Amino acid sequence: MRIYETNREEETFEIGRKLGEEAEKGQIFTLIGDLGVGKTVFTKGVAAGLGIREPVNSPTFTIVQVYEEGRLPFYHFDVYRISDVEEMEEIGYEDYFYGEGVCMIEWADLIRELLPEKFLQITIEKDLQKGFDYRKIIWQEIG
């Protein structure tokens, strides 16, 4: 387990960039955290670490956004609006989860039963007593 503490959005981005630089083919990252905690900022950092220069936005309505310009394909999921796991089957999630790239899955706790037994869970937490921009980022290997 790794724990990072940040006090600026740029620091959260840089922690994500470090993960992207270390990422390997087939890895799945899950991202857990409340609305507005910085999940998209972190994901933009991961994309930058993979060498992706195009704009990265949360795919809230499309469920998955594919970026192929980096050193590995990057599959960015936002499953917040998934009402049933069949929706994931309809988009062919297994092709992404077990494909040639790296997956980032926001709100992954909503589809826990679909996740492989091994993945990296990233949790981002706020603590307003430590400041409005304070974030605690926890990386934990599952499985």
Side-chain angles (χ1 to χ4, degrees), residues 29-40 42-43 77 79 104-112 115 119-126 135-140 142:
F29 307 130
T30 65
L31 197 47
I32 310 294
D34 293 335
L35 287 169
V37 81
K39 293 184 300 292
T40 302
F42 185 86
T43 300
F77 288 82
V79 299
M104 174 66 74
I105 309 165
E106 294 187 39
W107 302 99
D109 46 329
L110 299 175
I111 60 161
R112 180 68 176 101
L115 296 175
F119 59 92
L120 177 65
Q121 179 173 291
I122 301 149
T123 304
I124 304 178
E125 302 172 345
K126 289 190 220 183
R135 299 295 185 268
K136 182 177 185 180
I137 303 168
I138 305 159
W139 296 12
Q140 184 175 4
I142 305 295

Side-chain angles (χ1 to χ4, degrees), residues 45-90:
V46 173
L50 287 166
I52 295 165
R53 293 183 308 275
E54 66 183 282
V56 173
N57 298 300
S58 192
T60 302
F61 296 100
T62 59
I63 301 173
V64 64
Q65 181 69 44
V66 176
Y67 302 92
E68 294 184 341
E69 72 173 345
R71 66 178 178 82
L72 292 169
F74 184 47
Y75 311 125
H76 179 200
F77 288 82
D78 182 333
V79 299
Y80 183 73
R81 297 196 185 283
I82 290 284
S83 57
D84 163 327
V85 292
E86 286 179 11
E87 289 180 62
M88 290 295 289
E89 291 169 4
E90 289 172 13

